[in-house]
Amino acid sequence: MNKWIVRVIAVITGAACLLALALTAVQLVAFDRDRYSSAYEQYDRAEAIGISESDLMAVTDRLLDYLKGQSASLDMEATIQGEMQPVFGERELLHMADVHHLFMIGFAIRRWAVIIAACGIVLLLATQKKRAFYMLAWGYLAGLGCFVLFAVVVGVAMAVDFNRAFTIFHQLLFTNDLWLLDPRTDVLIQMFPEAFFEQMAVGILGWMSAAVLLPAIPAAIYGIYRRRKARKHP
């Protein structure tokens, strides 16, 4: 097989591995129930909303199930400010439908990334024999360079002006302004103030970095070993 074709396959395989790991990290953080519970306590969300802690976690469980595709809707009621009422208004429901759609796309992308990575690994093992692991390591590290650049840009943007970065993020992902909610009346934004999203973003970036950097260590070690071996025995 042509060496350039092999390199392209290696890079695509490495990028697919990176994407699968990164999206898995995002989903692990996004669906970490304990993280929500701790944040609600830290920011006194139950008191701010006027809802009991047990009801707030019940709403959260329903919300997470909805984002996973395990619940058909977010139509629910709870006692808020001493009165039984719908938790979310129409604007909030429409926005969460958009968010649900994004999560479904994310799940699909992760599945395809795993399939592409698996096919790439099998193809390299079948065609490159002893060089397969070296090419896999090379492809992964090549893709990692792009990820590191992306992570640095996002990290700097959040550190400089999180509110601006948060706004740009929503403008890129959504084609409407339904995400602009009123903190005085909308429970959804009362549950998740800006400080919560900032904490969540830092957590996601941290877990993503750990997930993609961990395999890079053996990949780099093996790549260095093969290069040194090739120099000694050309």
Side-chain angles (χ1 to χ4, degrees):
M1 185 180 293
N2 182 282
K3 68 177 183 178
W4 291 108
I5 295 177
V6 172
R7 290 186 177 185
V8 169
I9 293 173
V11 170
I12 291 173
T13 302
C17 289
L18 281 162
L19 188 58
L21 288 170
L23 289 176
T24 298
V26 171
Q27 291 163 14
L28 285 174
V29 175
F31 295 116
D32 183 357
R33 187 179 187 274
D34 291 338
R35 184 178 293 269
Y36 291 88
S37 179
S38 296
Y40 294 153
E41 183 177 352
Q42 179 181 354
Y43 300 118
D44 297 321
R45 290 298 87 198
E47 183 177 348
I49 297 169
I51 190 173
S52 69
E53 292 182 4
S54 60
D55 280 353
L56 180 55
M57 289 310 302
V59 170
T60 302
D61 288 336
R62 178 75 171 273
L63 183 63
L64 296 181
D65 285 344
Y66 177 71
L67 293 179
K68 293 176 187 176
Q70 297 174 357
S71 179
S73 77
L74 283 176
D75 288 322
M76 67 184 98
E77 292 188 340
T79 301
I80 301 174
Q81 301 294 341
E83 180 182 345
M84 180 65 72
Q85 58 183 284
V87 176
F88 302 120
E90 182 180 2
R91 189 177 180 87
E92 294 163 285
L93 293 174
L94 290 172
H95 174 57
M96 289 311 300
D98 289 341
V99 176
H100 166 78
H101 180 64
L102 287 178
F103 270 92
M104 292 301 103
I105 291 175
F107 289 137
I109 291 175
R110 186 179 64 171
R111 285 194 296 270
W112 277 106
V114 170
I115 292 171
I116 291 170
C119 290
I121 291 170
V122 170
L123 186 58
L124 288 172
L125 287 172
T127 61
Q128 299 304 299
K129 308 301 180 183
K130 293 182 179 180
R131 294 188 72 247
F133 291 107
Y134 173 73
M135 293 309 302
L136 285 169
W138 179 85
Y140 188 86
L141 293 174
L144 182 62
C146 296
F147 173 83
V148 170
L149 179 61
F150 167 78
V152 168
V153 171
V154 172
V156 170
M158 290 194 308
V160 171
D161 188 343
F162 179 82
N163 185 61
R164 177 60 178 162
F166 184 76
T167 299
I168 293 174
F169 170 80
H170 280 75
Q171 290 173 337
L172 289 173
L173 290 181
F174 302 106
T175 58
N176 53 55
D177 65 353
L178 293 171
W179 57 275
L180 293 171
L181 300 172
D182 189 342
R184 297 170 299 178
T185 58
D186 295 327
V187 171
L188 188 61
I189 196 64
Q190 292 173 352
M191 290 173 65
F192 310 122
E194 183 177 306
F196 171 86
F197 281 112
E198 185 171 0
Q199 188 180 74
M200 182 71 78
V202 171
I204 287 175
L205 197 58
W207 277 98
M208 283 177 62
S209 299
V212 301
L213 287 174
L214 190 59
I217 297 173
I221 293 173
Y222 184 72
I224 293 170
Y225 165 75
R226 281 299 302 262
R227 279 184 173 274
R228 289 183 176 178
K229 185 177 179 180
R231 287 173 183 172
K232 290 180 180 178
H233 305 283

